[in-house]
Amino acid sequence: MNTPKVVRLPTQAVIADAGPLIAFARLDRLEILHRLYGSVIVPSAVWAEVTSPRAFDDVQALQTAQTKAWLDLAADEPIEDLGPSSALWMIDPGERAAIMLALKAQQQGIEALLILDDAAARQSASIFGLQLIGTLGILMRAKAKGLIEEVVPLALQLRRSGYYFSDALLSAVAARMSETLR
């Protein structure tokens, strides 16, 4: 007689949107996500966005991470029951899919952490009470865990590659991390 295998359900689902995935790939630092969170879930709409030919120059790093089994692809959740006035209709499909997946995790009693940078998407997610972190927040956690030495040079590298962080935000991060803007 076979004894049933004990399956350990996850206590936290870390779900990523396209912007932060592209940011960490551009920095060649995708391993930070793996080292901080173990596995990261990517909705299908987000995966389509980051692997499209026009997303960014080198999608190879993301495809490699996905084959290493720590970047998990998930089917998108249906959104029919949100109504036409939902804030989710104002954001792109990838962001909407990430938020819907986080909501599903919460409904199943799983703590969801949503990795999201876009201001409108963050505002939509906060309406639902979702826990959020962005690229700079992850870099700050990585420094606190000793995974990187400084946050500001990486933030400035992202800015040079077209990522937008306000001067006020960069100054606040630099002050909090006891770093200087160069």
Side-chain angles (χ1 to χ4, degrees), residues 20 24 37 114-117 122 132-139:
F24 282 97
Y37 303 113
L114 191 53
I115 303 173
L116 196 58
D117 283 338
R122 289 174 70 91
L132 304 171
I133 191 165
T135 299
L136 292 179
I138 292 170
L139 289 173

Side-chain angles (χ1 to χ4, degrees), residues 34 59 66 168:
H34 177 55
V59 300
Q66 196 272 324

Side-chain angles (χ1 to χ4, degrees), residues 140-180:
M140 291 166 65
R141 280 189 182 177
K143 180 179 177 179
K145 297 273 188 185
L147 301 177
I148 60 174
E149 291 184 25
E150 293 183 294
V151 173
V152 170
L154 295 173
L156 292 175
Q157 182 181 341
L158 283 172
R159 189 186 242 189
R160 285 189 299 274
S161 74
Y163 235 73
Y164 176 76
F165 300 116
S166 70
D167 290 336
L169 179 58
L170 283 177
S171 294
V173 168
R176 186 163 178 196
M177 296 284 99
S178 302
E179 298 178 28
T180 56

Side-chain angles (χ1 to χ4, degrees), residues 18-168:
L21 289 174
I22 292 170
F24 282 97
R26 280 185 178 164
L27 291 172
D28 196 24
R29 300 291 183 118
L30 278 167
E31 82 283 351
I32 288 174
L33 297 173
H34 177 55
R35 293 186 66 195
L36 285 176
Y37 303 113
S39 66
V40 175
I41 301 168
V42 179
S44 296
V46 171
W47 189 250
E49 188 177 335
V50 298
T51 58
S52 77
R54 58 184 197 280
F56 67 110
D57 294 336
D58 184 15
V59 300
Q60 185 65 40
L62 287 167
Q63 292 168 333
T64 299
Q66 196 272 324
T67 62
K68 291 183 179 178
W70 66 265
L71 205 57
D72 298 322
L73 305 185
D76 296 336
E77 290 299 312
I79 56 172
E80 300 92 21
D81 59 344
L82 293 175
S85 63
S86 174
L88 291 179
W89 293 116
M90 305 300 190
I91 58 177
D92 80 32
E95 293 157 347
R96 190 168 41 246
I99 290 170
M100 291 302 299
L101 195 56
L103 287 171
K104 180 181 180 184
Q106 277 190 336
Q107 290 169 352
Q108 294 176 348
I110 299 169
E111 180 184 346
L113 175 63
L114 191 53
I115 303 173
L116 196 58
D117 283 338
D118 181 81
R122 289 174 70 91
Q123 184 176 12
S124 294
S126 66
I127 290 169
F128 295 102
L130 294 170
Q131 184 181 7
L132 304 171
I133 191 165
T135 299
L136 292 179
I138 292 170
L139 289 173
M140 291 166 65
R141 280 189 182 177
K143 180 179 177 179
K145 297 273 188 185
L147 301 177
I148 60 174
E149 291 184 25
E150 293 183 294
V151 173
V152 170
L154 295 173
L156 292 175
Q157 182 181 341
L158 283 172
R159 189 186 242 189
R160 285 189 299 274
S161 74
Y163 235 73
Y164 176 76
F165 300 116
S166 70
D167 290 336

